[in-house]
Amino acid sequence: MSFTLAIVGRPNVGKSTLFNRLVGKRLALVDDQPGVTRDLREGAARLGDLRFVVIDSAGLEMAEDDSLQGRMRRLTERAVDEADICLFVIDARAGVTAADEYFADILRKRARHVIVAANKAEGRAGEAGALEAYALGLGEPLRISAEHGEGMDDLYRVLVPLSDEVEAARPAPIEPVTDVDVGEEPAEGEEADWRPSADRPLQLAVIGRPNAGKSTLINKIIGEDRLLTGPEAGITRDSISVTADFMGTPMRIFDTAGMRKRAKVTDKVEKLSVADGLRAVRFAEVVVVLLDVAIPFEQQDLRIADFAETEGRAVVVAANKWDLEDDKPEKLKTLRESFERLLPQLKGAPMVTVSAKTGKGLDRLHAAILKAHEVWNRRVSTARLNRWLGVMTESHPPPAPGGRRIRLRYMTQVKTRPPSFVVKSTHTDKLPESYLRYLVNGLRADFDMPGTPIRLMLRDQGEANPYRRKAQKISQSGALAKHKNRQKPKS
């Protein structure tokens, strides 16, 4: 049993707090100031034995033009049209306002089912406002407290018959003609298939500075105006995820807030937005660093790309607004030179040019994402690694500090995502960073791993002494004999 519940209402009535309560996690940003939520955020909710999709929407504003508030309102109205049930939230302490009456009339005309909830009704402060909600003509209002979890049993009681009605109105599912083989779980010690599938879509995060075109690019990928866009910088606040089929590849794409320099971030909500975006990077597998081609590789762009590499994510650099560039060959040459010079830690990472507005270059972006994901999951056999290690040390031996030669004895790959290797060596504390970079660059070149983060760890392995254990046994037996001799009584 599943249905879609859209939470709507004026700004600052507690919609996001209720959303977090239903999904059981702090996904949506919450603050005292109104208008924090701007996009539509979906989540898997549970209430008793009910399982459904809940949508957190922007506060309904009395604006019908092309301003930011007007675009937010149209996005919320779209959620009302698509949802099975609308939960209309009012502030019980403020009572029913003229805006509440205006939006109640809209819901009466557009929504299939409407439930009125008087939030912040804990104690006696919200009694009068909850009674006023009867005047909206949308049925008996529920008294709830999203912050304290009060009234959730009443909400469950109202949702159960509505969910049954929604389920009965749906067309019967078409039975499959043949059985579908869902596959088997991988055997113990065998790695699961890393290739994207409908059950495990590729996790993709799009990050960058404000107004780089992140939301516009994702809207173009999914083929609909799902995310709020506009000429204003910093529109996106929440880290919104959408599921899409990008040119045949199942993906879950995270749209993140624009990241400015830390010194310029003073607003509390912006700090929460940036933290939410950084969390999305940690969940992602591939990160697209989106640049504005007019001002590429600003200091903040470099910090963002370095953060993605430090987190061990596969990185693709995309230069947006390519349709506005006149001298494209010269600009592309400049971009590649700047990329190699300013981001040496991402040497070989794919860089593509796109236009989020026209959709040109999306095929190149798709190919670069799949390539980066494939390299990020690459595994090299231990036999090949040790043959390669022997060739590398013969052509360029490690240094011998203090006349003591460093020996690299053994190498193996311990994990993927990103590729991580362990080298067993003598005198690991004496091996310089330059030699580690030599090995990492050799791994990139010889095993076709451009751009992906590579982790190389050293493990100390002393000189192998085949008689060490025998010497220990002799020493222990000698000490035991001496101890017994001391214990013997003197004659």
Side-chain angles (χ1 to χ4, degrees), residues 239-274:
S239 177
I240 305 297
S241 67
V242 295
T243 303
D245 189 75
F246 185 16
M247 294 186 177
T249 305
M251 292 188 186
R252 186 183 180 197
I253 309 175
F254 292 87
D255 182 24
T256 61
M259 301 178 187
R260 297 195 298 164
K261 293 181 179 179
R262 183 177 297 179
K264 294 184 177 181
V265 179
T266 57
D267 183 58
K268 178 184 175 183
V269 174
E270 187 174 357
K271 290 181 180 179
L272 294 174
S273 300
V274 173

Side-chain angles (χ1 to χ4, degrees), residues 95 109 349 415 442 473:
K109 296 175 182 177
K415 65 184 287 290
K473 289 181 179 179

Side-chain angles (χ1 to χ4, degrees), residues 453-490:
I454 292 179
R455 304 293 185 250
L456 188 61
M457 295 161 283
L458 296 176
R459 298 279 173 82
D460 194 12
Q461 185 181 29
E463 294 289 341
N465 184 1
Y467 301 102
R468 182 180 56 186
R469 291 189 177 181
K470 187 175 180 180
Q472 288 177 350
K473 289 181 179 179
I474 294 174
S475 176
Q476 291 175 358
S477 61
L480 183 61
K482 289 182 180 179
H483 178 71
K484 287 181 178 180
N485 291 333
R486 292 195 191 102
Q487 298 299 323
K488 287 182 179 180
K490 296 182 179 180

